[in-house]
Amino acid sequence: MQALPLRVRLAAWYFLVLCLAFSAFSFLAFFEVRGSIHSAVDEGLRDRAADLRELLERRWPAEQIERELAAGSSVRGEDDILQIAETNGEWTYSSVSALHYGLKMPTARERTDKFQFSTMDSRGMPLRILNGQLSVADKTYDVQIAAPMDDFYDAINRFRFVLLFSVPMLLLVASVGGYWLSRKAVAPVGEIARAAQSISENELSKRLPVPRTGDELQNLSEILNELFGRLESAFKRVKQFTADASHELRTPVALMRTRTEVALRKERSQADYRETIVRIHTELESTSALIENLMMLARADSGTQMLQLTSTSLNEVLSEIAEPARLLAEKKCIHYEHLLPEVPLRVNGNVASLRRLFLILIDNAVKYSPQEGHVSVVLVPSDGSAVTEIRDDGIGISSSDLPHIFERFYRADESRSRESGGTGLGLSIAKWIAEAHQGKISVTSSVGEGSVFRVQIPLSNDGH
Ligand SMILES: Nc1ncnc2c1ncn2[C@@H]1O[C@H](COP(=O)(O)OP(=O)(O)O)[C@@H](O)[C@H]1O
Ligand SMILES: [Mg+2]
């Protein structure tokens, strides 16, 4: 059963259930009809027995009664199958047809005073027979009244034939219909499967047809389409990232190649060679930083980069980076200061990553501020979290750029950013680190006034 297609299994079950239902119906109907015919006939026999009693109660002489019985009355019945005998007496009467069918009066042992009904065949005629006794005044009579059943049995047999013939026909028609229905019901599943099969890597924008039936199949198609949507956007991101990464790598490599080619074109002075090598070195430095960033994001994407978190004091992390931060700031004569609370704020953190996160933000703050600007770092507890704010009074970020700055390779001002050595990966790395600490990073900024980056990391339970 398991290996058969769903539509066949459905149809088979349908057929089985129908078979059972129809058979049960046929049996019930047949026995019900037969039962009610018998009770109708029995009722008729009882009526005749009652008429016979009335006749006997008239206390006519035997010959008159016999004449009356032979002459025909309601007692006689249509076929006049009737026998009567005085119990323990001499008098008996048998009608012509009773003799014809060879009916036998019950023997003394078989006699009962209750009416008893039985069915028997005699000379090819089915008979329904009433046996019993009638007591009239001081006398008792054995009576036997019968009715021929041939017409009734013909009707019953016709009914049985109709059942035997029509039930299989009905079953056949219903089963074909059932198979057709289940095929129709299951067909959309096949369609969905075929459509899903045709969606390849290059056609992830394709979607399954959604049947507007409001049922499980519509639901299934919609869920699959959502899945394809997620796959598509994940796939797009990977593609975009690869394209951006190779573009970013190609630029410095091309630059270094040109520099060396120019330098090698003719004999140069010692000083010229030196200058070329220094430039190439600078380029190499930023390229290896870029490669490292790319590797980090790739590891983060694949989920292999799991940060080891230990209880860490943010005060310590921020104090430790004060020195490199100052060095960064000094180059542009920027005033750097930090403000830390007296009690250390502890979080579940990874020291190296946290350092990197804050340096990325401080580096940006310095980079996107004019000479003589101000950069400050403030750490405060707030609502079970440690909040670190990195403020600057630099160029700010326009509201059209703001939603995008955490995207990979996004730079508000390509030209300026490139010459200041940025690649647009800093903030995406910062965001990943914050999230790896169950934290959030957010920004408020206005053009020309400066920016505030806010990193919020939950305090660890043991943290005070
Ligand atoms: N403190 C800031 N002030 C102004 N703009 C900023 C600041 N920090 C980031 N940005 C903008 O966000 C962009 C993305 O930042 P980031 O990911 O660090 O890349 P980049 O390598 O360019 O610094 C930057 O190019 C810059 O336009
Ligand atoms: Mg940056």
Side-chain angles (χ1 to χ4, degrees):
M1 210 61 171
Q2 206 53 272
L4 292 173
L6 186 56
R7 57 172 194 282
V8 177
R9 272 186 285 155
L10 278 177
W13 276 112
Y14 182 64
F15 176 75
L16 213 71
V17 170
L18 270 186
C19 257
L20 286 176
F22 274 151
S23 317
F25 163 78
S26 308
F27 273 103
L28 271 178
F30 179 73
F31 286 109
E32 189 56 36
V33 166
R34 210 173 73 158
S36 57
I37 284 178
H38 275 167
S39 52
V41 171
D42 293 352
E43 205 47 48
L45 292 174
R46 252 190 253 276
D47 286 348
R48 280 167 65 193
D51 291 343
L52 184 57
R53 171 191 290 279
E54 261 177 39
L55 181 67
L56 293 173
E57 275 168 353
R58 290 182 201 162
R59 300 185 164 240
W60 287 345
E63 303 83 58
Q64 196 178 351
I65 291 181
E66 280 168 28
R67 238 182 292 124
E68 180 69 20
L69 284 173
S73 65
S74 60
V75 178
R76 190 171 171 269
E78 236 179 87
D79 287 273
D80 177 34
I81 312 173
L82 174 122
Q83 297 195 91
I84 178 164
E86 198 180 329
T87 316
N88 309 320
E90 293 291 297
W91 183 68
T92 66
Y93 169 82
S94 293
S95 71
V96 180
S97 42
L99 292 174
H100 167 76
Y101 289 121
L103 285 194
K104 290 206 181 61
M105 288 298 266
T107 58
R109 249 186 331 118
E110 290 163 347
R111 257 180 225 144
T112 62
D113 49 356
K114 283 211 188 83
F115 287 169
Q116 279 196 333
F117 297 91
S118 58
T119 313
M120 62 168 273
D121 262 23
S122 180
R123 295 203 172 187
M125 172 63 76
L127 296 174
R128 184 76 176 162
I129 303 169
L130 175 155
N131 281 307
Q133 283 187 316
L134 291 174
S135 302
V136 177
D138 50 345
K139 285 188 181 157
T140 313
Y141 302 89
D142 293 324
V143 293
Q144 188 167 52
I145 308 173
M149 298 290 282
D150 51 349
D151 287 347
F152 297 125
Y153 281 171
D154 275 356
I156 290 184
N157 282 338
R158 257 200 312 282
F159 181 57
R160 183 162 53 190
F161 175 76
V162 166
L163 283 182
L164 283 179
F165 175 76
S166 65
V167 164
M169 279 305 282
L170 265 177
L171 265 180
L172 191 75
V173 171
S175 303
V176 170
Y179 180 71
W180 180 78
L181 266 182
S182 57
R183 247 179 69 146
K184 205 167 134 63
V186 171
V189 176
E191 253 165 57
I192 291 174
R194 266 192 300 283
Q197 210 164 31
S198 76
I199 298 180
S200 70
E201 185 183 290
N202 301 320
E203 301 164 311
L204 278 176
S205 57
K206 266 200 186 169
R207 290 292 177 272
L208 303 176
V210 177
R212 296 273 154 226
T213 43
D215 59 6
E216 294 89 338
L217 290 175
Q218 176 176 353
N219 199 11
L220 176 67
S221 311
E222 281 168 355
I223 288 174
L224 283 176
N225 278 343
E226 276 166 31
L227 171 69
F228 285 128
R230 284 200 297 277
L231 278 179
E232 188 191 9
S233 64
F235 196 71
K236 263 192 190 149
R237 271 205 306 279
V238 171
K239 253 171 122 169
Q240 182 66 40
F241 183 61
T242 319
D244 288 345
S246 42
H247 172 77
E248 290 299 323
L249 285 170
R250 209 176 292 129
T251 318
V253 170
L255 207 71
M256 287 186 273
R257 207 172 133 181
T258 323
R259 280 201 207 292
T260 48
E261 277 167 4
V262 169
L264 290 173
R265 208 166 282 160
K266 57 179 190 196
E267 279 296 312
R268 308 264 174 191
S269 68
Q270 192 76 12
D272 281 351
Y273 282 133
R274 193 182 164 73
E275 198 201 320
T276 306
I277 292 174
V278 168
R279 284 192 172 175
I280 290 176
H281 184 248
T282 321
E283 203 68 45
L284 277 174
E285 261 180 344
S286 61
T287 308
S288 58
L290 168 65
I291 291 174
E292 204 202 314
N293 284 346
L294 286 175
M295 300 284 279
M296 156 132 195
L297 283 173
R299 279 197 303 269
D301 281 350
S302 66
T304 50
Q305 176 92 336
M306 292 291 286
L307 293 184
Q308 292 290 339
L309 303 181
T310 52
S311 177
T312 308
S313 154
L314 280 185
N315 303 50
E316 268 172 41
V317 173
L318 290 174
S319 311
E320 276 167 21
I321 60 168
E323 159 121 10
R326 281 218 174 82
L327 281 177
L328 278 175
E330 263 168 27
K331 284 190 206 154
K332 284 178 83 178
C333 303
I334 283 173
H335 306 279
Y336 174 84
E337 56 175 8
H338 67 217
L339 195 65
L340 307 178
E342 299 209 338
V343 240
L345 299 184
R346 301 192 79 84
V347 299
N348 258 334
N350 179 285
V351 178
S353 305
L354 288 173
R355 223 181 261 165
R356 183 161 190 188
L357 159 62
F358 294 126
L359 277 175
I360 286 171
L361 297 178
I362 294 169
D363 176 56
N364 279 349
V366 169
K367 219 161 47 174
Y368 302 109
S369 294
Q371 303 265 335
E372 306 283 343
H374 295 81
V375 171
S376 62
V377 174
V378 181
L379 173 64
V380 285
S382 155
D383 249 355
S385 290
V387 175
T388 315
E389 283 186 353
I390 293 93
R391 304 166 168 271
D392 66 65
D393 51 2
I395 59 172
I397 306 164
S398 72
S399 53
S400 59
D401 289 323
L402 216 47
H404 302 292
I405 56 169
F406 291 100
E407 288 169 14
R408 294 172 184 187
F409 297 109
Y410 189 85
R411 287 177 296 217
D413 184 343
E414 286 279 334
S415 55
R416 187 191 336 232
S417 197
R418 167 115 213 118
E419 101 205 0
S420 54
T423 57
L425 290 179
L427 286 182
S428 28
I429 292 174
K431 181 167 183 248
W432 181 79
I433 294 174
E435 282 166 3
H437 285 81
Q438 325 304 327
K440 292 198 288 243
I441 183 166
S442 57
V443 56
T444 46
S445 180
S446 51
V447 177
E449 282 177 28
S451 317
V452 183
F453 282 81
R454 211 163 173 266
V455 180
Q456 193 176 342
I457 296 174
L459 290 167
S460 60
N461 291 335
D462 65 319
H464 320 277

